[in-house]
């Protein structure tokens, strides 16, 4: 299965929402993402090009 690609802006907005207090689980449910995807973006901001 091919990995789905997300725009850097989208990833950044998800990380921002997480940093504002939203849970990874609620974000995953709302945006139809895997919880592991959200937590990966939060833990590795360099991979998003956010540094």
């Amino acid at each position: 299965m091919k990995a789905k690609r997300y725009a850097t802006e989208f990833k950044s907005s998800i990380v921002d929402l997480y940093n504002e207090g939203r849970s990874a689980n609620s974000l995953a449910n709302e945006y139809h993402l895997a919880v592991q995807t959200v937590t990966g973006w939060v833990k590795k901001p360099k991979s998003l090009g956010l540094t």
Side-chain angles (χ1 to χ4, degrees):
M1 186 173 185
K2 191 173 182 180
K4 190 168 183 179
R5 301 280 174 141
Y6 295 96
T8 303
E9 295 82 14
F10 176 72
K11 294 178 186 180
S12 179
S13 67
I14 297 296
V15 172
D16 288 343
L17 289 169
Y18 178 87
N19 289 333
E20 290 172 4
R22 296 280 306 272
S23 71
N25 198 30
S26 71
L27 291 167
N29 288 333
E30 183 174 340
Y31 292 97
H32 307 286
L33 302 165
V35 175
Q36 296 86 349
T37 300
V38 175
T39 56
W41 293 345
V42 170
K43 289 179 182 177
K44 298 180 183 178
K46 287 184 181 182
S47 66
L48 307 179
L50 300 177
T51 58

